[in-house]
Amino acid sequence: MDYPSFFRGRRLRKTQNLRDIVRENVVRSEDLIMPYFVVETDDPDFRKPISAMPGQFQLSLDQLEKQVAEGVALGMHSVILFGIPAKKDYKGSGAYAGDGIVQQATRRLKKAFPELIVITDTCLCEFTDHGHCGLVKQGDTTGEVHNDPTLKLLAKTAVSQAEAGADMVAPSDMMDGRVAAMRQALDANGYAHVPIMSYAVKYASAFYGPFREAAESTPQFGDRKTYQMDPANGREAMREAMADIDEGADILIVKPGMPYLDIVRTLHESFDLPVAAYQVSGEYSMIKAAADNGWIDGTAVMMESLTAFKRAGAKLIITYFTEDFLRLQSK
C-alpha cells in the first residue's frame, strides 16, 4: 500500500548514536552544584545520616573535607554550604561571625581545593533560635519578621563569607532589598568581584520538609508565608526577579525546581542573566524513596529530572544528586 509522505521522527531515534547526535540538551558536571550541611562540633568524625534524605549527611569540618575530596576526584565543580551552629540566638549571630561554621568550612575548602567554586547560603534561619530568616523581636511569638533591620545583618553575613573566601554568596531569605544591601556592603569592603546568586524566586513550598531536618531550621512559631512567595503566583516571580536584577544580582535561582519549571522557562526567556534551578530536598527524597521501594528506576528518573531543568532553560542546577550523577558519569 502506498502511503502519502508524512513526518518520520523515528528515523533519528533508531540507534543510540543517532539519538546522541541530535540530543538538544545535555547535563554536564559543570552545571551541577552540590549542597552540603556542615556542623559546628568538637567531634571530627561526626557524620550523621539525614533520615529524610537518604544518602545525605550532616558533616563535621573533617568529614566535609573528606566528602568533598571524593566529589572533586569525580569532577565536581561547585558546592553550596549550609551551616548548623553549636549555639543559636534570636538574631542569628553565628551567621555573620568571623569564625562561624560556614566561614570555617569555606576557608577549609578553599585551602584544600582552590579551584572549587564555594558558594555560601546567606541567610539567618539556620542560626536563629526561632528558625525564621529575618529578625524577630526577642520574646515575640507573633511571627512578625522585621524586614529592614534584617538587611544589615544579611549584608554583614555576606561580607563575612566573602572575607572567608566564598566565591559567591547566595541570599535565600526573601527579604525585600537584600540584594541591594549585600551588593553595597560587598563593594564597600573590597569584594566587588564577588557575585550574588540570589534566590530571586523562592516559594513557600511544602517540598522543603526534609531540609528542615537537615538544616535544623524549622520555624518555632508561625510560617514563612509572609516573605516567601505564594505557590499560586507566576507573574509575581517576574517582579521579584526584576527587583533583584536592578539591585545587582548576577544569577537568579528558582526554588523549588520541578514544580516551577514554568517559572524557570519564563525567567530564561525574559532575562539575560543565568538562571539556576534548585532541586530541593522534597524532590530528591521522593525520587530516592520511590527508587528504594523499586517503584521507579532511580537513575533514569534522576537523569530525566536533571534534563528537564536544562530543557526549561536552567543554566545551573543545585541538586543533592550531584554526587550520584558524577559517579554515574565516571563508570
Side-chain angles (χ1 to χ4, degrees):
M1 180 180 293
D2 293 330
Y3 290 98
S5 177
F6 50 81
F7 172 68
R8 291 192 179 273
R10 293 181 59 187
R11 290 179 181 138
L12 297 180
R13 302 176 197 143
K14 186 175 180 180
T15 67
Q16 184 64 54
N17 284 343
L18 280 171
R19 294 191 294 273
D20 286 345
I21 66 169
V22 297
R23 180 161 293 137
E24 298 174 23
N25 296 282
V26 178
V27 180
R28 309 172 306 152
S29 60
E30 293 90 341
D31 302 328
L32 306 184
I33 301 169
M34 178 67 194
Y36 288 106
F37 301 95
V38 58
V39 180
E40 190 171 17
T41 175
D42 293 329
D43 180 4
D45 297 322
F46 185 88
R47 181 182 175 87
K48 181 182 178 181
I50 300 167
S51 61
M53 299 176 66
Q56 303 302 310
F57 302 86
Q58 292 179 339
L59 302 166
S60 67
L61 286 168
D62 283 5
Q63 289 296 310
L64 172 68
E65 184 175 342
K66 180 180 179 180
Q67 189 77 32
V68 171
E70 294 177 6
V72 170
L74 291 170
M76 184 167 66
H77 290 261
S78 308
V79 303
I80 184 167
L81 299 178
F82 297 88
I84 304 168
K87 295 181 180 180
K88 303 187 179 191
D89 57 39
Y90 79 97
K91 58 183 180 179
S93 59
Y96 43 87
D99 61 349
I101 185 58
V102 169
Q103 288 79 358
Q104 292 183 54
T106 300
R107 293 187 183 97
R108 186 82 167 258
L109 293 184
K110 290 304 296 182
K111 182 178 180 180
F113 315 104
E115 299 303 314
L116 180 70
I117 297 173
V118 176
I119 305 164
T120 49
D121 180 75
T122 310
C123 194
L124 303 183
C125 64
E126 296 128 51
F127 301 89
T128 56
D129 54 14
H130 47 74
H132 280 286
C133 301
L135 273 180
V136 174
K137 288 184 179 179
Q138 195 167 16
D140 183 3
T141 59
T142 65
E144 182 179 2
V145 176
H146 299 276
N147 192 96
D148 292 6
T150 300
L151 301 184
K152 297 178 181 179
L153 299 186
L154 292 171
K156 192 174 180 180
T157 301
V159 171
S160 72
Q161 292 172 344
E163 288 175 345
D167 295 293
M168 195 179 305
V169 297
S172 61
D173 55 283
M174 287 299 285
M175 297 295 113
D176 296 336
R178 86 270 201 216
V179 173
M182 291 182 186
R183 186 72 274 159
Q184 182 178 7
L186 288 167
D187 293 356
N189 285 275
Y191 299 107
H193 62 283
V194 175
I196 297 176
M197 183 169 72
S198 174
Y199 290 70
V201 182
K202 183 177 180 180
Y203 286 91
S205 172
F207 283 87
Y208 302 149
F211 181 92
R212 304 287 188 252
E213 175 194 344
E216 299 182 9
S217 60
T218 302
Q220 298 303 299
F221 49 84
D223 55 39
R224 294 177 175 147
K225 293 181 180 178
T226 63
Y227 45 99
Q228 294 178 359
M229 284 179 51
D230 185 339
N233 293 353
R235 293 172 64 186
E236 183 183 4
M238 293 288 288
R239 296 196 294 273
E240 290 285 354
M242 289 177 66
D244 282 7
I245 292 171
D246 289 343
E247 292 175 18
D250 299 282
I251 299 174
L252 306 173
I253 301 176
V254 176
K255 180 181 181 182
M258 288 289 287
Y260 299 92
L261 288 176
D262 59 322
I263 306 301
V264 174
R265 168 57 65 180
T266 299
L267 264 60
H268 169 67
E269 292 180 343
S270 301
F271 307 114
D272 58 4
L273 266 63
V275 177
Y278 197 145
Q279 187 175 40
V280 300
S281 59
E283 300 172 65
Y284 169 86
S285 295
M286 288 191 297
I287 294 172
K288 281 288 188 179
D292 288 346
N293 278 283
W295 299 334
I296 61 172
D297 180 332
T299 299
V301 172
M302 172 189 74
M303 288 304 305
E304 190 172 338
S305 66
L306 296 176
T307 303
F309 293 125
K310 296 291 291 184
R311 191 179 64 247
K315 173 62 176 173
L316 300 168
I317 307 165
I318 305 170
T319 176
Y320 303 96
F321 282 117
T322 298
E323 291 180 351
D324 289 347
F325 173 88
L326 294 172
R327 282 190 285 268
L328 179 66
Q329 296 299 302
S330 68
K331 290 181 179 179

